[in-house]
């Protein structure tokens, strides 16, 4: 049996070595279990979660290596149970609420639900009895001195979930990790909640390590914000559901435009830098997509088995067609620019525009032009407020982030695995993005729904 090791603030003070990133055998009892000098939690929270409660990470047992998805099984074909720590309130808490100086920061791009998470973190902190809560404006940049922090309370956050965006603002780039920790020391912050994607979490883990190096008693807890749903081990991340739902409006418009035009083709580009989850799910949900293109599955545009020749077939067969493409798909067709954003991420070429142009050129050359319409709803989707199901997810994640920090865990992030809420060590979830498995049942369902061939 294997289990993730969850780093705890007391590790460094008990002389224990931090081993945050690997699976941990059960026999090596983590030092954080039943740490002696915790404070009793005043709030009863309708029951506590025990530190050794855990959630099974992988629920399928493959009876044979030929079962769909069975390549995920341990290469030695031995069945290894992997467990993760269950999230929730602990009976003993590490911080006295009156000594807590909590800060919240949101980084990267916008995602539906950011305000819901901020709101819930503030409300839960107040229930614990925390008085000092601030928002760091505009991501990690807000740690530089010029930007004043924003005092937060239930009153301030009461209605922020009714609109999209982030109350605190977001940004990319910013000060170095050492500068951020300097600023935290100066402000006396001992609980930091970090809402962001893989870059933000890499930053949060670096901040956690720097705080350990300086022997600061600080809890750094992340809440994964990725509309792409590309975080390892997690069923889904907040904002994804809303994104899939909101994509339906763009897909439906593209369908109507294509369907109403003579030889109409609609192209919709959706979010997904390395993972096609939104594009796959949105295509499946709509039932209106003829061609679904994702980064995980290579394709050709030209040639007898290319996307364009299938579009020609579709126009002949049914008079119109709709394509849904993820932003990270087909990057090999676009000129590499080496341009990066402020965080160092490579700026992608626009595959949607490229397909639109190539499609127009292709049909013009055949002497029988097509009417091509292109929709990129990215910013309209990212700025939406969370739908009901994401609202609930955000609420639970926000609460659990606070419970985790109060328990004294640091360098962790919160998520939902196999329908249960868990704490995971940050390095375990950001080492690489979760992607659509081209051999998975879900991708094959998508192909069945579009009826597209292999474009290779
Ligand atoms: P999104 O999904 O919107 O891209 P993200 O969290 O990946 O979210 P980034 O812009 O990549 O967004 O990073 C957010 C912040 O994290 C930036 O301020 C960036 O400077 C910082 N950051 C990114 N990578 C690292 C890293 N390896 N170490 C420290 N800080 C980092
Ligand atoms: Mg990122």
């Amino acid at each position: 049996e294997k289990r993730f090791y969850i780093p705890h603030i007391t590790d460094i003070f008990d002389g224990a070595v931090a081993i945050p990133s690997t699976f941990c055998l059960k026999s090596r009892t983590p030092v954080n279990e039943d740490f002696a000098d915790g404070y009793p939690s005043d709030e009863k929270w309708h029951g506590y979660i025990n530190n050794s409660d855990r959630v099974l990470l992988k629920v399928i047992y493959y009876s044979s290596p030929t079962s769909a998805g069975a390549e995920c099984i341990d290469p030695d074909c031995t069945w290894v149970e992997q467990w993760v720590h269950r999230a929730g309130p602990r009976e003993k808490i590490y911080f006295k609420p009156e000594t807590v100086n909590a800060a919240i920061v949101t980084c990267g791009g916008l995602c539906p639900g950011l305000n819901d998470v901020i709101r819930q973190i503030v409300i839960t902190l107040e229930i614990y009895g925390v008085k000092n809560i601030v928002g760091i404006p505009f991501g990690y940049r807000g740690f530089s001195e010029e930007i004043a922090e924003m005092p937060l309370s239930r009153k301030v956050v009461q209605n922020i979930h009714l609109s999209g965006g982030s109350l605190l603002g977001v940004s990319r780039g910013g000060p170095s990790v050492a500068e951020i920790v300097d600023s935290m020391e100066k402000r006396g912050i001992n609980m930091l909640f970090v809402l962001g994607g893989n870059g933000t979490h890499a930053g949060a883990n670096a901040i956690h390590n720097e705080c350990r190096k300086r022997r600061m008693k600080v809890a750094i807890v992340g809440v994964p914000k990725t509309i792409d749903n590309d975080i390892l081990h997690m069923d889904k991340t907040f904002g994804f559901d809303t994104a899939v739902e909101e994509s339906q409006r763009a897909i439906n418009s593209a369908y109507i435009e294509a369907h109403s035009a003579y030889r109409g083709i609609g192209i919709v580009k959706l979010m997904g830098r390395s993972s096609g989850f939104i594009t796959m799910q949105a295509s499946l949900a709509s039932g209106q997509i003829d061609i679904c293109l994702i980064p995980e599955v290579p394709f050709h545009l030209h040639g007898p088995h290319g996307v364009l020749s299938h579009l020609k077939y579709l126009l002949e067969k049914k008079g119109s067609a709709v394509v849904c493409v993820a932003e990270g798909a087909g990057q090999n067709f676009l000129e590499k620019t080496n341009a990066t954003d402020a965080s160092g991420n490579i700026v992608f070429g626009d595959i949607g525009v490229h397909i639109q142009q190539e499609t127009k050129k292709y049909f013009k050359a055949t002497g029988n032009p097509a009417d091509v319409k292109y929709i990129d709803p990215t910013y309209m989707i990212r700025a939406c407020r969370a739908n009901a199901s994401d609202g609930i997810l955000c609420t639970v994640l926000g609460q659990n982030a606070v419970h985790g920090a109060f328990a004294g865990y640091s360098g962790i992030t919160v998520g939902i695995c196999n329908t249960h809420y868990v704490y995971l060590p940050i390095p375990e979830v950001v080492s690489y993005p979760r992607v659509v498995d081209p051999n998975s049942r879900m991708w094959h369902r998508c192909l069945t729904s579009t009826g597209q061939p292999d474009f290779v």
Side-chain angles (χ1 to χ4, degrees):
E1 181 190 273
K2 287 185 175 180
R3 179 145 55 134
F4 282 118
Y5 179 76
I6 301 287
H8 191 270
I9 291 180
T10 53
D11 297 351
I12 42 172
F13 301 101
D14 294 345
V17 189
I19 30 165
S21 72
T22 47
F23 287 106
C24 182
L25 290 171
K26 196 193 172 197
S27 56
R28 190 158 79 208
T29 310
V31 283
N32 58 346
E33 282 189 8
D34 307 319
F35 67 97
D37 49 354
Y39 306 105
S41 178
D42 283 340
E43 194 60 45
K44 293 290 174 259
W45 300 114
H46 307 282
Y48 299 109
I49 299 298
N50 194 292
N51 276 344
S52 22
D53 282 9
R54 55 202 198 273
V55 174
L56 186 59
L57 199 56
K58 193 152 185 66
V59 289
I60 303 180
Y61 178 87
Y62 299 108
S63 58
S64 99
T66 56
S67 296
E71 69 272 359
C72 312
I73 208 166
D74 193 85
D76 305 329
C77 271
T78 45
W79 177 245
V80 181
E81 288 183 359
Q82 293 171 355
W83 297 92
V84 259
H85 285 246
R86 190 172 166 214
R90 270 37 181 184
E91 189 166 9
K92 286 225 174 128
I93 51 177
Y94 182 75
F95 290 94
K96 277 189 173 150
E98 57 273 25
T99 66
V100 170
N101 285 311
I104 308 172
V105 63
T106 56
C107 316
L110 289 183
C111 177
L114 278 169
N115 279 336
D116 302 61
V117 179
I118 296 170
R119 175 177 184 271
Q120 204 52 230
I121 289 174
V122 171
I123 289 173
T124 311
L125 283 167
E126 283 203 352
I127 295 172
Y128 267 103
V130 177
K131 296 276 188 295
N132 302 313
I133 312 168
V134 296
I136 305 294
F138 300 111
Y140 288 138
R141 278 177 196 278
F143 279 109
S144 52
E145 300 305 316
E146 312 90 68
I147 317 174
E149 53 193 32
M150 184 189 295
L152 296 175
S153 62
R154 181 187 273 268
K155 204 171 158 205
V156 174
V157 299
Q158 189 61 46
N159 294 318
I160 61 172
H161 61 305
L162 301 180
S163 76
S166 166
L167 172 76
L168 306 175
V170 291
S171 75
R172 300 190 190 276
S176 70
V177 169
E179 285 166 336
I180 292 171
V181 178
D182 286 348
S183 167
M184 286 173 61
E185 251 184 319
K186 213 150 137 196
R187 297 166 198 238
I189 294 169
N190 53 5
M191 252 186 215
L192 178 64
F193 299 95
V194 185
L195 283 55
N198 48 359
T200 306
H201 273 72
N205 201 54
I207 293 169
H208 159 76
N209 286 332
E210 179 67 20
C211 288
R212 287 186 157 212
K213 212 164 85 192
R214 300 189 192 183
R215 302 183 70 76
M216 291 160 63
K217 293 188 177 178
V218 178
I220 314 285
V221 177
V223 183
K225 171 233 63 155
T226 156
I227 203 164
D228 296 356
N229 201 24
D230 57 354
I231 297 280
L232 291 172
H233 309 304
M234 294 183 185
D235 297 355
K236 64 172 180 179
T237 49
F238 75 82
F240 173 70
D241 225 48
T242 308
V244 171
E245 192 170 308
E246 204 56 29
S247 302
Q248 302 307 301
R249 284 148 51 106
I251 290 175
N252 196 239
S253 302
Y255 176 83
I256 290 170
E257 285 286 349
H259 205 66
S260 309
Y262 175 61
R263 291 173 61 77
I265 294 177
I267 299 167
V268 180
K269 185 183 75 173
L270 295 176
M271 297 76 70
R273 285 177 64 86
S274 37
S275 310
F277 288 107
I278 294 179
T279 305
M280 174 176 75
Q281 303 278 58
S283 299
L284 257 174
S286 75
Q288 292 174 316
I289 296 298
D290 300 292
I291 299 177
C292 175
L293 303 170
I294 60 172
E296 296 87 338
V297 180
F299 60 92
H300 286 300
L301 283 178
H302 297 276
H305 301 292
V307 170
L308 296 172
S309 102
H310 188 58
L311 278 173
K312 183 162 169 268
Y313 164 80
L314 290 168
L315 285 196
E316 281 158 14
K317 185 103 191 283
K318 43 183 229 168
S320 65
V322 189
V323 180
C324 190
V325 58
E327 61 177 321
Q331 287 299 307
N332 49 318
F333 302 129
L334 306 167
E335 221 171 295
K336 295 252 177 315
T337 59
N338 290 329
T340 53
D341 66 18
S343 297
N345 303 305
I346 291 166
V347 178
F348 280 177
D350 195 326
I351 185 63
V353 170
H354 181 74
I355 293 179
Q356 179 198 26
Q357 288 168 347
E358 291 299 303
T359 306
K360 279 184 177 169
K361 261 195 274 177
Y362 172 82
F363 283 102
K364 206 171 163 196
T366 64
N368 205 354
D371 191 346
V372 187
K373 310 268 173 41
Y374 172 51
I375 300 178
D376 176 356
T378 303
Y379 291 114
M380 305 197 69
I381 294 174
R382 291 184 358 160
C384 277
R385 69 173 271 201
N387 69 8
S389 102
D390 272 332
I392 294 168
L393 179 59
C394 290
T395 300
V396 183
L397 293 176
Q399 288 182 1
N400 280 328
V402 175
H403 293 317
F406 258 101
Y409 295 125
S410 179
I412 61 159
T413 194
V414 294
I416 179 165
C417 291
N418 292 326
T419 73
H420 293 280
Y421 295 90
V422 298
Y423 296 133
L424 286 154
I426 290 175
E428 284 298 341
V429 298
V430 296
S431 47
Y432 54 93
R434 188 168 80 97
V435 295
V436 172
D437 176 358
N439 295 312
S440 64
R441 308 280 303 138
M442 200 48 109
W443 175 243
H444 286 278
R445 287 178 191 120
C446 184
L447 295 181
T448 307
S449 141
T450 60
Q452 73 197 65
D454 283 345
F455 297 114
V456 284

